[in-house]
Amino acid sequence: MRILISNDDGYLAPGLAALADALASIAEIVVVAPDSNRSGASNSLSLDRPLSVNKAGNGFYYVNGTPTDCVHVALTGMMMERPDLVVSGINNGPNMGDDTLYSGTVAAATEGYLFGIPAIAFSQAEYGWVNLDAAARVARDIVERRFDELHKPYLLNVNIPALPYEQMQGITATRLGKRHSAEPVIRALDPRGREIFWIGPVGATREAGPGTDFHAVAQGQVSITPLQIDLTHVTQLEALAKGLA
């Protein structure tokens, strides 16, 4: 198996190293990640400047761009052979519910999916890299499953509780939950007295019942959500057509 690995926390992130170490024992890996933390970059591409690729001492490649840039450059300009899988993570913190729209971790996997390659995004459900070795072991377990029963390409979003491996309560298929609106921006002054704004915290969970990713992780389970990219609001099509008649 040949796997392309990326992330949004940057090429020096502990989660990336743990994921690469876990998968190197079962696959040929190539790591291409951002040169710095690009959390919240979503699916953005850098079109206003050229990108550079450098190789770190540990063999990882790093790009002065977004997670999507990294996967795009790797697939279209670096790798001589097409990977069998694109994997992103392990993210420092959860990517559940509406957060997946903003996530650079999910975006890196999505870019692979858009190229017709199966892809998986991995995140820890708490910040701080607690029990990261266990999360990496779970990621390897999931990659080894191969999911031959799924139509390819597939796009999976995985959130892993920050628990020791032996304390996890299994792996379950979930749907995305929902959050309330984000908290307001935080106003502040810079050193020169100019007003600045920090994006506020995410909103509290609004739909987190059984079957959701939020609920699964709260029960100590590893959550796997299959994602799709079609944004068409199908149920509105008929009403829109009538309005245009």
Side-chain angles (χ1 to χ4, degrees):
M1 182 184 290
R2 185 179 301 107
I3 300 177
L4 170 63
I5 304 175
S6 192
N7 76 343
D8 73 351
D9 290 316
Y11 77 103
L12 296 175
L16 182 69
L19 182 61
D21 287 346
L23 298 184
S25 62
I26 62 171
E28 174 188 335
I29 65 169
V30 175
V31 180
V32 185
D35 62 353
S36 60
N37 190 310
R38 304 283 178 156
S39 296
S42 189
N43 299 87
S44 58
L45 282 169
S46 298
L47 304 178
D48 60 341
R49 58 186 173 82
L51 299 171
S52 60
V53 180
N54 294 281
K55 190 174 185 178
N58 61 1
F60 293 0
Y61 293 94
Y62 59 94
V63 179
N64 61 332
T66 67
T68 299
D69 288 334
C70 293
V71 175
H72 192 93
V73 169
L75 294 179
T76 64
M78 291 178 61
M79 300 183 71
M80 301 302 295
E81 297 182 79
R82 182 182 176 93
D84 301 297
L85 182 69
V86 173
V87 173
S88 181
I90 298 169
N91 190 63
N92 183 21
N95 280 302
M96 297 186 286
D98 309 325
D99 300 341
T100 57
L101 293 173
Y102 302 101
S103 168
T105 304
V106 175
T110 299
E111 187 70 2
Y113 171 80
L114 292 175
F115 273 87
I117 302 169
I120 309 175
F122 290 104
S123 303
Q124 267 198 304
E126 294 180 19
Y127 293 95
W129 309 117
V130 178
N131 293 310
L132 182 57
D133 57 336
R137 185 175 171 185
V138 168
R140 184 179 62 200
D141 291 346
I142 289 173
V143 168
E144 287 185 307
R145 287 176 178 256
R146 295 181 180 265
F147 297 102
D148 292 331
E149 65 277 17
L150 296 180
H151 296 294
K152 291 184 175 60
Y154 53 75
L155 175 60
L156 302 177
N157 183 43
V158 180
N159 282 274
I160 306 169
L163 297 171
Y165 187 83
E166 296 75 16
Q167 293 182 21
M168 295 192 195
Q169 302 301 306
I171 302 174
T172 187
T174 60
R175 68 181 187 277
L176 296 180
K178 294 185 182 299
R179 289 190 184 275
H180 289 286
S181 299
E183 297 295 319
V185 295
I186 300 168
R187 294 172 178 263
L189 297 177
D190 72 8
R192 298 186 178 182
R194 295 173 297 195
E195 188 174 44
I196 57 175
F197 299 87
W198 287 96
I199 297 297
V202 298
T205 56
R206 174 165 57 90
E207 183 183 333
T212 67
D213 47 5
F214 290 117
H215 185 268
V217 167
Q219 301 303 308
Q221 298 176 312
V222 177
S223 161
I224 304 185
T225 304
L227 304 180
Q228 62 181 1
I229 305 303
D230 186 358
L231 298 178
T232 305
H233 196 324
V234 177
T235 59
Q236 291 277 42
L237 277 174
E238 184 177 352
L240 177 60
K242 289 179 179 179
L244 295 173

